[in-house]
Amino acid sequence: MSDDLLTEPLRIENGESHAPARRRPRRRHRRGEGFATTAPTTERPRDTTPRGHPMTTDVATAAASGASATERFHTDKSPYAAVAGTPPERVDRLARRVLEAVYQTVRDEKVTYDEFNALKAWMIGVGEDGEWPLFLDVWLEHVVEDVNTAHREGNKGSIEGPYYVPGAPEHGSTGTIDMREGEAGTPLVWTGTVTSTDGTVLADALVELWHADADGFYSQFAPGIPEWNLRGNFRTDAAGRFEIHTIQPAPYQIPTDGSCGRLIAAAGWHAWRPAHLHVKVSAPGHESADRAVCTSPATSTTTTTSPRP
Amino acid sequence: MSDDLLTEPLRIENGESHAPARRRPRRRHRRGEGFATTAPTTERPRDTTPRGHPMTTDVATAAASGASATERFHTDKSPYAAVAGTPPERVDRLARRVLEAVYQTVRDEKVTYDEFNALKAWMIGVGEDGEWPLFLDVWLEHVVEDVNTAHREGNKGSIEGPYYVPGAPEHGSTGTIDMREGEAGTPLVWTGTVTSTDGTVLADALVELWHADADGFYSQFAPGIPEWNLRGNFRTDAAGRFEIHTIQPAPYQIPTDGSCGRLIAAAGWHAWRPAHLHVKVSAPGHESADRAVCTSPATSTTTTTSPRP
């Protein structure tokens, strides 16, 4: 396993990732929104956690984000219905393989009872913090994505992540994503073309964009942000093109005050995600493709999607 | 891995496990206690789940047992304090090994997104049901026990399990464990000797005994049972002997209505534990030893403990 699977598990595909060296303006903390007073910069920011004003309860804590992500998962997915026909032999096989690997680790590494009890406390804590979606999306989903898109000829996929919400406002092929008045952050224009794997441009393809704000927070998961802030759906024009006006998202840390943060600290990893746009592209007769795109103020990409097999 | 690691994860060491063929008297359901009306028999009982009267809330559900076990774990252990000095390299190494094994399983078995989402829902559910202690004690602790007692010359250990509570009433070397008036179940006399590995008998050794009742329930984890019911501490006499009067515990299922039960059903395993006594033996200068002993109405064992290295 390469180091970056664990230290940078949110893999970023192409796009220019060279952020301008100048600092973005510092955003003032607004009472009641609970944002950190220290805005991330386009350089690698310092650790600003704990986020939020300690005197308000309306802060972006791990438990609050986790509860949102867990609730969203329950609402959006019917996970057991989708696997109702799975034969017991399959479940047995998958569970045994994973357990046997854990057993081998315990034997080879001579795991102590103290370590076993710490693992137990930690697994209890991940649930209490609502961080199972976060944990699995950060540390496991990228492998599931690789396996399930291995047959594709188009862009390599990246993970959907825990913060996708379907049904964002529609804007046509050119437009400005919903944002607050005076939204902090460097303006960003993202243009692109959607093509099939044979190079044919795809008109009327759906381009769903969602990304963090200049403080690293996502609407619907952090408090005090309008529902569809920095979330929008666009449609390619007859030439397969789109042009989206937004602001540059910040690099951000996954919550450091929860159980995932505890693991990161204990293992000497770091919690930073590079600044990125999430995009999901769909076109009739083609597979839906998720990507994460690193950004500069003017970013241009071509997204290639595979015809459905 | 042998089949029985998963289908009989609570491993039972020596002792006679041949239960008498005659049925024990059926125990009547008492309102307010929430016990099943179908008492387990000494033969392999039928599935009596869901346990408890559906019209009472004071029933032995997975969530109630799980919440008790999780709360008990929080109260009795200081799991993070005990590993505070662990170097990050150790945590990193353990986490990477387990994750890499999971990644290899996903790749080899081509795990689908539907399966990934079912895993996510299941891990969320284990926490909501309070079943991480149960899961880890049933499916992992036995390997930790093997690794940590490999150096011992005495009895092979078995797991403490999630239902141990320290500080039970003391009874001397011969006595009757605390039980309810008219406690259901076949009377059981358990006699034994505690020796060091060189055969020296150990006087004043502490023998802590705890076991399920004739319905398969543990006091302090199922509702409506007196606090120390079928829990007692005994001390060996000058000849290293003890004699304990109790009732024969029932075989029981781990909860089938929670997330562990869901895994068992999905994988085609079974939830039954054979009838067993839990015993923890401690003597000055010797290692504490956990064992699980299968029972017949008159059970006699020798427990051998290792001098502390």
Side-chain angles (χ1 to χ4, degrees):
Chain A
M1 168 167 38
S2 70
D3 266 3
D4 62 11
L5 280 187
L6 288 167
T7 54
E8 298 278 8
L10 211 172
R11 295 164 316 111
I12 304 301
E13 311 303 332
N14 82 0
E16 302 83 76
S17 61
H18 311 293
R22 67 193 164 82
R23 285 173 175 276
R24 284 180 292 104
R26 198 169 273 263
R27 181 168 179 229
R28 294 297 302 164
H29 174 65
R30 286 189 258 158
R31 287 194 77 86
E33 284 196 17
F35 289 123
T37 52
T38 308
T41 69
T42 50
E43 293 147 20
R44 188 177 172 122
R46 286 163 300 170
D47 187 339
T48 60
T49 50
R51 285 165 168 164
H53 193 288
M55 298 305 290
T56 69
T57 56
D58 191 20
V59 293
T61 61
S65 297
S68 298
T70 299
E71 177 59 31
R72 175 72 61 183
F73 176 74
H74 279 317
T75 306
D76 291 352
K77 316 265 186 195
S78 299
Y80 291 130
V83 294
T86 305
E89 293 75 15
R90 169 81 173 166
V91 181
D92 172 81
R93 182 178 173 84
L94 293 175
R96 279 175 194 269
R97 276 206 57 165
V98 170
L99 284 171
E100 183 55 36
V102 174
Y103 298 164
Q104 202 54 51
T105 302
V106 170
R107 290 186 194 111
D108 292 348
E109 304 288 341
K110 300 197 190 311
V111 167
T112 67
Y113 258 105
D114 283 342
E115 289 169 337
F116 172 74
N117 283 323
L119 170 68
K120 192 186 291 187
W122 182 79
M123 295 186 86
I124 291 169
V126 176
E128 287 174 348
D129 294 338
E131 289 196 339
W132 283 118
L134 179 68
F135 176 80
L136 292 168
D137 290 4
V138 167
W139 279 286
L140 182 54
E141 186 180 346
H142 62 92
V143 186
V144 178
E145 174 73 21
D146 284 350
V147 164
N148 285 278
T149 59
H151 64 281
R152 287 191 188 167
E153 293 171 32
N155 284 110
K156 195 164 153 56
S158 56
I159 68 169
E160 180 181 292
Y163 301 132
Y164 169 67
V165 183
E170 295 255 359
H171 297 280
S173 64
T174 299
T176 300
I177 205 165
D178 287 358
M179 63 177 78
R180 289 162 285 194
E181 197 178 322
E183 182 80 32
T186 304
L188 168 71
V189 181
W190 183 39
T191 57
T193 307
V194 178
T195 72
S196 186
T197 45
D198 67 0
T200 312
V201 297
L202 295 172
D204 205 37
L206 176 64
V207 177
E208 294 174 271
L209 178 68
W210 70 103
H211 65 81
D213 68 13
D215 286 325
F217 295 118
Y218 287 85
S219 61
Q220 302 191 37
F221 294 88
I225 306 178
E227 184 176 14
W228 295 107
N229 207 62
L230 304 179
R231 296 177 179 275
N233 293 353
F234 299 82
R235 293 274 176 185
T236 54
D237 64 16
R241 290 189 56 78
F242 60 86
E243 177 178 318
I244 302 173
H245 295 252
T246 182
I247 56 100
Q248 196 171 348
Y252 62 90
Q253 294 190 97
I254 64 169
T256 55
D257 60 330
S259 292
C260 289
R262 184 186 282 273
L263 171 63
I264 288 169
W269 305 338
H270 74 78
W272 288 104
R273 315 288 89 171
H276 59 278
L277 305 174
H278 286 281
V279 59
K280 186 188 285 286
V281 174
S282 332
H286 289 72
E287 298 197 3
S288 173
D290 284 304
R291 298 178 65 199
V293 180
C294 282
T295 65
S296 66
T299 295
S300 180
T301 57
T302 298
T303 297
T304 312
T305 70
S306 296
R308 215 172 266 130
Chain B
M1 168 165 39
S2 71
D3 266 4
D4 63 9
L5 280 188
L6 288 165
T7 55
E8 298 280 7
L10 212 172
R11 294 163 318 111
I12 304 301
E13 311 303 332
N14 82 0
E16 304 81 76
S17 62
H18 312 292
R22 65 194 165 83
R23 285 171 175 275
R24 285 180 290 106
R26 200 169 270 262
R27 181 168 179 231
R28 292 299 301 165
H29 174 66
R30 286 189 257 159
R31 287 194 76 88
E33 285 196 17
F35 290 123
T37 52
T38 307
T41 69
T42 50
E43 295 147 19
R44 186 179 173 121
R46 286 164 298 169
D47 187 339
T48 60
T49 52
R51 287 166 167 163
H53 193 287
M55 298 305 290
T56 69
T57 55
D58 191 20
V59 293
T61 61
S65 298
S68 297
T70 298
E71 177 59 29
R72 175 71 61 184
F73 176 75
H74 280 315
T75 305
D76 291 352
K77 315 265 186 195
S78 301
Y80 291 131
V83 295
T86 305
E89 294 73 17
R90 168 81 172 165
V91 181
D92 172 81
R93 182 178 173 84
L94 293 175
R96 280 176 193 269
R97 276 205 58 166
V98 170
L99 284 171
E100 183 56 36
V102 175
Y103 297 165
Q104 201 55 51
T105 302
V106 170
R107 291 186 194 110
D108 292 349
E109 304 288 340
K110 298 196 189 315
V111 167
T112 67
Y113 258 105
D114 283 343
E115 288 169 337
F116 172 74
N117 284 323
L119 171 67
K120 192 185 294 187
W122 181 80
M123 295 186 87
I124 291 170
V126 176
E128 288 175 347
D129 294 338
E131 288 195 338
W132 284 118
L134 178 68
F135 176 80
L136 291 168
D137 291 2
V138 168
W139 278 286
L140 181 54
E141 187 180 347
H142 62 92
V143 186
V144 178
E145 175 72 21
D146 284 350
V147 164
N148 286 278
T149 59
H151 63 283
R152 287 191 187 166
E153 292 172 32
N155 284 110
K156 194 165 153 56
S158 56
I159 69 169
E160 179 182 293
Y163 301 132
Y164 169 68
V165 183
E170 295 256 359
H171 297 280
S173 64
T174 299
T176 301
I177 204 165
D178 287 358
M179 64 178 77
R180 290 162 285 196
E181 196 178 324
E183 182 80 33
T186 304
L188 168 71
V189 180
W190 183 40
T191 58
T193 306
V194 178
T195 72
S196 187
T197 46
D198 66 0
T200 312
V201 297
L202 295 172
D204 206 37
L206 175 63
V207 177
E208 295 175 90
L209 177 68
W210 70 102
H211 65 82
D213 68 12
D215 286 325
F217 294 117
Y218 287 85
S219 61
Q220 301 191 37
F221 294 88
I225 306 178
E227 185 176 15
W228 296 106
N229 207 62
L230 304 179
R231 296 177 179 274
N233 292 353
F234 299 81
R235 294 272 176 186
T236 54
D237 64 17
R241 292 188 55 77
F242 60 87
E243 178 179 316
I244 302 172
H245 295 252
T246 182
I247 57 101
Q248 195 170 349
Y252 61 89
Q253 294 190 96
I254 64 170
T256 56
D257 60 331
S259 292
C260 289
R262 184 187 282 273
L263 171 62
I264 288 169
W269 304 338
H270 75 77
W272 287 104
R273 314 289 89 172
H276 59 278
L277 306 174
H278 286 281
V279 59
K280 186 188 286 284
V281 174
S282 333
H286 288 74
E287 299 198 1
S288 172
D290 285 304
R291 299 179 63 199
V293 180
C294 283
T295 66
S296 66
T299 296
S300 180
T301 57
T302 299
T303 297
T304 311
T305 70
S306 295
R308 216 171 266 130

